[in-house]
Amino acid sequence: METVLAVATQYDISPAHLKEGSIFGALSDPSIQFLLDEGVLHKVAKGDEVFSYGSKGGSFYAVLHGKLDFYKQHNDKKLRTRTVCFGEAIGFVSMIALHERVGSLCALEDSLLLEVSSQLFSDFHDQHPFDFGILLMNLSRDMARTIRELSNALVEYDELEK
């Protein structure tokens, strides 16, 4: 994983394109540009680990390009619970709950991520309060979809066990 400048990336990270993703939907162009300018862009190669189980959860990542798998860990067990794609976020729960990562994140393909630290999240609130509300709603909606998918998987697993 390496840090890159926005002008050095080969991918379309224009606000118009990013608005097609669920995390950036309905945000203003200036607020998206603020996140791009103040956040950290990471170029991630296929197979790279972005974060590991137990690491500090002081930021979240928005997927600007590519796909990554999240592996939830509990005790001695580790299970892939979801694939994170363009326009989705990962790590928000750890950041907002102030706890360590509960799993690891690995790139399925070459990807570009925007890291939003807790400090940047706070600064975004101060600089773009209206857009902050929209971003929070988008992140909450993304969490709700993930909870629904995981709870559906639990029901399906239970049906298989009977």
Side-chain angles (χ1 to χ4, degrees):
M1 183 164 87
E2 69 178 90
T3 302
V4 295
L5 298 174
V7 294
T9 183
Q10 64 193 30
Y11 305 113
D12 181 2
I13 59 169
S14 65
H17 175 67
L18 294 180
K19 285 181 184 184
E20 295 174 17
S22 63
I23 296 304
F24 297 105
L27 292 178
S28 69
D29 289 1
S31 71
I32 293 172
Q33 195 61 54
F34 176 82
L35 291 171
L36 290 171
D37 292 343
E38 301 299 321
V40 179
L41 291 175
H42 298 283
K43 181 179 173 184
V44 183
K46 179 180 178 177
D48 280 356
E49 184 176 73
V50 176
F51 59 75
S52 60
Y53 173 76
S55 62
K56 185 176 179 185
S59 63
F60 71 90
Y61 296 86
V63 181
L64 305 185
H65 177 83
K67 293 181 183 174
L68 303 100
D69 273 344
F70 178 73
Y71 294 87
K72 172 72 171 88
Q73 190 166 334
H74 181 69
N75 295 327
D76 294 333
K77 294 182 180 181
K78 186 176 179 178
L79 178 72
R80 186 188 68 78
T81 59
R82 70 181 185 133
T83 299
V84 188
C85 302
F86 165 74
E88 297 177 336
I90 185 79
F92 178 69
V93 173
S94 294
M95 185 192 81
I96 213 70
L98 302 173
H99 62 69
E100 285 118 15
R101 306 284 187 199
V102 296
S104 56
L105 182 66
C106 298
L108 276 173
E109 61 188 33
D110 291 351
S111 302
L112 183 67
L113 307 176
L114 171 65
E115 183 176 10
V116 177
S117 67
S118 56
Q119 182 60 57
L120 175 56
F121 194 63
S122 175
D123 293 345
F124 188 69
H125 171 267
D126 295 342
Q127 299 287 325
H128 298 274
F130 180 78
D131 289 289
F132 178 83
I134 294 171
L135 177 62
L136 201 52
M137 185 172 52
N138 291 346
L139 289 164
S140 299
R141 188 177 295 125
D142 193 48
M143 268 193 313
R145 289 181 186 128
T146 300
I147 291 168
R148 185 188 63 223
E149 289 171 17
L150 291 174
S151 62
N152 286 347
L154 286 171
V155 170
E156 288 178 20
Y157 177 77
D158 186 57
E159 288 174 0
L160 292 174
E161 291 293 307
K162 291 181 181 180

